[in-house]
Amino acid sequence: MDSMSVSTMMDTTNGAASQSVQSPEAIKRLLKGSVGTVSSIRPGKKVDALITLADGGGLTVTIIGGAAAAQLDLILRSPVYEMLVADGNHHHGFTWDTTGVAAGTTFDFGLIWRWWWWVGSEYGCRIQLVNDSTYILGFEDRGVPPMYVDLIVQVVVHKGGPKLVILQPTANSDPGPITHEPMMPTVTCRAQLQNYNGGTVNFQWNLRVQWEGDDGRQFDDSFPGNNTATNSNVSSWTVNWNSRSIG
């Protein structure tokens, strides 16, 4: 999916819309009792807003909409707790970013909502994937009814820097035997420069082969080669033995 429209989720009144605002009577029905003795509402979340940076890097968080009248504070629960912005649904355009994140780090975003003297965490989040680096998070505060438009947040992931990864051969791969003819096995090397979109990448290969026979014969030689790939595409190179083989 290359793009996704979220216009139906946005509030063009800068947070003044009332489609998800609940009356005190509705809140009383939700609490099923007197609100005078209740100061916190924490319903079970339907979906956590979790985004993992598998390759590290960073991300940019931008508030792009919100339809709730209550105060909705956008928070980060992990990897460290941080209040990103108070009353975020009335601060459309707010941006927060971070860089230098380690690979495998998971970010957990959430809400703290405040309505009169009640306070609670989000009912849940609807996550939409726009492309491989952009997410739209639609938060629902109380879930009565759940519309997931109370706060709308865009998260853009910035991947880590270029990383060379050897895909083949691996440490435990077996290229096969040298036959009696003799004939060397077909060995194909594959690699890619991940997180790179700068154009042509030149790969310089050098495969070293060591072998020792039962009769004491030894073989130790290197086989060079080169080829190219574009951006993060996989480079594939088959070893040319140059008639050097041993059986």
Side-chain angles (χ1 to χ4, degrees):
M1 182 179 298
D2 295 326
S3 63
M4 178 177 293
S5 173
V6 295
S7 58
T8 58
M9 298 177 62
M10 291 188 183
D11 165 34
T12 58
T13 63
N14 195 31
S18 60
Q19 61 190 44
S20 64
V21 174
Q22 304 302 315
S23 66
E25 289 74 20
I27 296 177
K28 289 180 182 180
R29 290 194 297 271
L30 174 65
L31 296 176
K32 298 180 181 179
S34 171
V35 298
T37 58
V38 177
S39 61
S40 178
I41 308 170
R42 300 192 180 277
K45 289 183 290 183
K46 301 303 181 184
V47 178
D48 286 322
L50 304 177
I51 296 179
T52 299
L53 276 61
D55 300 316
L59 48 76
T60 299
V61 177
T62 305
I63 295 179
I64 61 175
Q71 176 179 329
L72 303 182
D73 301 338
L74 179 63
I75 64 172
L76 179 66
R77 292 192 175 96
S78 69
V80 294
Y81 185 91
E82 183 174 348
M83 168 73 75
L84 300 186
V85 60
D87 202 12
N89 50 316
H90 293 90
H91 289 85
H92 298 179
F94 168 84
T95 296
W96 175 87
D97 58 19
T98 184
T99 59
V101 177
T105 301
T106 296
F107 288 83
D108 181 4
F109 296 96
L111 296 182
I112 298 296
W113 62 262
R114 307 174 195 278
W115 177 252
W116 291 18
W117 56 84
W118 303 290
V119 60
S121 58
E122 75 276 11
Y123 172 84
C125 181
R126 179 173 291 164
I127 302 176
Q128 299 176 347
L129 179 64
V130 179
N131 52 48
D132 64 353
S133 62
T134 304
Y135 300 81
I136 300 296
L137 311 180
F139 286 96
E140 168 64 31
D141 53 10
R142 296 183 296 277
V144 280
M147 299 178 68
Y148 299 96
V149 295
D150 295 323
L151 189 69
I152 304 169
V153 178
Q154 174 183 274
V155 178
V156 177
V157 174
H158 309 292
K159 297 180 180 179
K163 178 182 179 182
L164 178 63
V165 177
I166 306 299
L167 303 174
Q168 187 178 342
T170 63
N172 299 319
S173 62
D174 183 2
I178 302 173
T179 63
H180 293 290
E181 286 82 353
M183 181 177 293
M184 300 293 282
T186 299
V187 176
T188 300
C189 301
R190 299 171 65 247
Q192 66 179 154
L193 188 61
Q194 296 180 350
N195 305 327
Y196 180 76
N197 60 0
T200 301
V201 181
N202 295 309
F203 288 83
Q204 300 292 329
W205 297 93
N206 187 50
L207 180 71
R208 183 180 180 185
V209 179
Q210 294 175 297
W211 175 85
E212 183 174 351
D214 295 336
D215 57 1
R217 291 180 298 166
Q218 294 182 340
F219 182 85
D220 188 346
D221 207 345
S222 296
F223 300 86
N226 63 79
N227 65 347
T228 63
T230 303
N231 298 328
S232 290
N233 293 338
V234 175
S235 167
S236 182
W237 171 70
T238 300
V239 178
N240 181 0
W241 300 110
N242 297 322
S243 299
R244 286 179 286 173
S245 60
I246 187 169

